[in-house]
């Protein structure tokens, strides 16, 4: 009997901005390094595993806002999402202590230059970065969007929460050059067209979320549509067919279908 792998908690943020010249939204996405053992070479949203340090921040309420009513698990997913996004893109969803405004792009860039590399290398903790810079994580900027769990039977599994957030003004983001090799602001339409043409490699959950998000014409509409909406957990069930593979997901999860073909035989 195959060993049952426990899913690792993980978070990702779909950073959104309105396209300048057309009624579409754009999303910050990155190309995963080809040597990474999970989704190598794929176009993905910034994110990754929740770690012990994220949970240590929970005890210090001064380091984050809008945590009322959230349990430790929910807080750790949100804190991990903001940390991973900062590590992978340099974009920081935080406010200076005592301010109601998100950190401006200039100050965010200073923090990135001083701390991002050291944080990625494990030479400092996110808790220390926040304490040293006087930043407060803006948990209220995150809108829960989706919850996916890697199918059973996979050697590496994740229990991932997807959040929406409006990108802070003028924070443009850039890949780290290690876990990701390229980054782009792209509309859901363009990303999906790239997946069809072979320009991009799109994992199944990424594809489904891009299709769903592409129905929204603006950042404001996307955030408003998702606020307070019930989220159905998706753990795809994979079966082999005569022509390839099928993935079954809950119809009520809101992805315009229940059974999807995801590859040809051979």
């Amino acid at each position: 009997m195959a060993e049952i792998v426990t899913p690792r908690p993980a978070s990702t943020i779909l950073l959104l901005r309105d396209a300048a010249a057309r009624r579409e939204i754009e999303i910050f996405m990155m190309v995963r390094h080809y040597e990474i053992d999970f989704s190598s070479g794929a176009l993905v949203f910034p994110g990754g595993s929740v770690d012990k340090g994220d949970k240590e921040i929970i005890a210090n309420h001064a380091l984050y806002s809008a945590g009322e009513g959230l349990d430790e698990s929910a807080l750790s997913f949100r804190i991990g999402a903001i940390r991973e996004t900062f590590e992978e893109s340099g974009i920081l969803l935080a406010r200076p202590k005592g301010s109601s405004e998100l950190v401006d792009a200039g100050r965010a860039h200073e923090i990135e230059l001083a701390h991002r590399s050291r944080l990625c290398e494990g030479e400092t903790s996110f808790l220390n970065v926040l304490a040293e810079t006087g930043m407060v994580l803006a948990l209220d900027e995150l809108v829960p969007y989706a919850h996916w769990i890697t199918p059973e039977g996979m050697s590496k599994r994740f229990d991932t929460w997807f959040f929406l957030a409006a990108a802070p003004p003028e924070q443009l983001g850039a890949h780290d050059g290690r876990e990701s090799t390229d980054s782009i602001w792209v509309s859901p339409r363009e990303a999906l067209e790239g997946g069809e043409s072979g320009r991009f490699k799109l994992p199944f959950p990424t594809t489904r979320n891009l299709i769903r998000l592409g129905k929204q014409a603006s950042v404001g509409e996307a955030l408003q549509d998702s606020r307070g909406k019930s989220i159905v957990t998706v753990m795809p069930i994979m079966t082999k067919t005569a022509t390839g593979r099928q993935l079954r997901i809950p119809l009520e999860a809101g992805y315009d279908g229940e059974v999807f073909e995801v590859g040809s035989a051979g």
Side-chain angles (χ1 to χ4, degrees), residues 8-13 32 45-51 54 80-81 83-85 88 158 160 179:
R8 183 186 306 173
S11 303
T12 188
I13 297 181
R32 297 278 286 176
F45 313 115
S49 298
V50 175
D51 66 23
D54 300 324
R83 174 189 53 75
E84 280 285 342
T85 297
E88 295 198 339
F158 293 92
T160 305
E179 292 192 12

Side-chain angles (χ1 to χ4, degrees), residues 164-184:
L164 300 184
E170 298 181 21
Q171 289 195 46
L172 300 181
H175 53 285
D176 61 11
R178 298 174 343 110
E179 292 192 12
S180 56
T181 58
D182 198 5
S183 55
I184 186 174

Side-chain angles (χ1 to χ4, degrees), residues 111-230:
I111 295 171
E112 177 192 359
L113 290 177
H115 300 283
R116 182 183 177 189
S117 178
R118 295 178 60 238
L119 181 61
C120 291
E121 295 291 342
E123 297 172 0
T124 188
S125 68
F126 200 35
L127 188 155
N128 287 341
V129 173
L130 298 175
E132 291 173 20
T133 59
M135 289 293 123
V136 178
L137 298 180
L139 302 190
D140 53 302
E141 291 290 313
L142 303 186
V143 177
Y145 187 65
H147 182 212
W148 286 66
I149 299 175
T150 309
E152 293 179 346
M154 304 293 287
S155 60
K156 182 169 284 191
R157 302 181 66 211
F158 293 92
D159 177 343
T160 305
W161 275 92
F162 293 75
F163 298 95
L164 300 184
E170 298 181 21
Q171 289 195 46
L172 300 181
H175 53 285
D176 61 11
R178 298 174 343 110
E179 292 192 12
S180 56
T181 58
D182 198 5
S183 55
I184 186 174
W185 283 96
V186 62
S187 72
R189 174 185 55 80
E190 292 167 328
L192 291 165
E193 288 174 356
E196 289 286 338
S197 69
R199 177 188 176 193
F200 301 131
K201 175 183 174 183
L202 296 175
F204 178 71
T206 304
T207 297
R208 301 320 308 174
N209 280 308
L210 285 169
I211 292 173
R212 180 176 161 195
L213 197 55
K215 298 176 182 179
Q216 307 299 331
S218 70
V219 174
E221 289 178 18
L223 296 175
Q224 185 59 38
D225 182 67
S226 294
R227 282 196 177 95
K229 182 174 286 186
S230 177

Side-chain angles (χ1 to χ4, degrees), residues 62-74:
L63 296 180
Y64 57 91
S65 63
E68 300 82 4
L70 299 176
D71 61 20
E72 180 178 309
S73 175

